[in-house]
Amino acid sequence: MKKILLVFVCSLFAFETVLAQEKNAVGLRLGDGVEFLYQRDLSSRNFLQFTLATPHFEGLSVTGIYNWRCCRWNWTPRTCDWYLNAGVGGALGLYDFDD
């Protein structure tokens, strides 16, 4: 199982590297659960973000957000861009509340 997970994570990073110059972005967050992210740029100021998550490995949630890039900070070196985003969206979740 560990080998399958390692191959999946490496494949996801390779896929993300290929899509780095496109209008799409794919991400993965690991921690007290797993979160898969998909982001689609609509313009230079707007984007859609979809998330599929298993918080605390006890449920499943799906989130969709329409975001606006409000402002960009230029206090960092030009290695990356930092934005302040605002958005509206909705979520649907199924959780195990036996505890």
Side-chain angles (χ1 to χ4, degrees):
M1 182 66 182
K2 290 181 183 179
K3 289 181 183 179
I4 293 172
L5 183 61
L6 180 64
V7 168
F8 176 73
V9 169
C10 290
S11 299
L12 188 64
F13 285 128
F15 182 68
E16 183 178 346
T17 303
V18 169
L19 291 178
Q21 303 303 320
E22 299 292 325
K23 289 185 168 191
N24 302 321
V26 177
L28 174 69
R29 291 183 187 155
L30 300 173
D32 192 19
V34 176
E35 189 172 335
F36 300 101
L37 300 133
Y38 172 75
Q39 186 173 320
R40 171 80 176 163
D41 281 342
L42 301 174
S43 69
S44 63
R45 306 274 303 162
N46 304 327
F47 64 94
L48 292 172
Q49 180 178 340
F50 299 100
T51 305
L52 176 65
T54 59
H56 310 290
F57 297 104
E58 294 178 352
L60 181 69
S61 70
V62 178
T63 306
I65 304 172
Y66 181 83
N67 285 300
W68 298 273
R69 288 185 180 101
C70 297
C71 65
R72 188 177 126 217
W73 288 300
N74 56 3
W75 49 269
T76 59
R78 293 297 304 160
T79 57
C80 62
D81 291 329
W82 291 85
Y83 292 95
L84 174 64
N85 300 323
V88 295
L92 176 66
L94 302 168
Y95 293 97
D96 181 18
F97 292 114
D98 289 339
D99 297 340

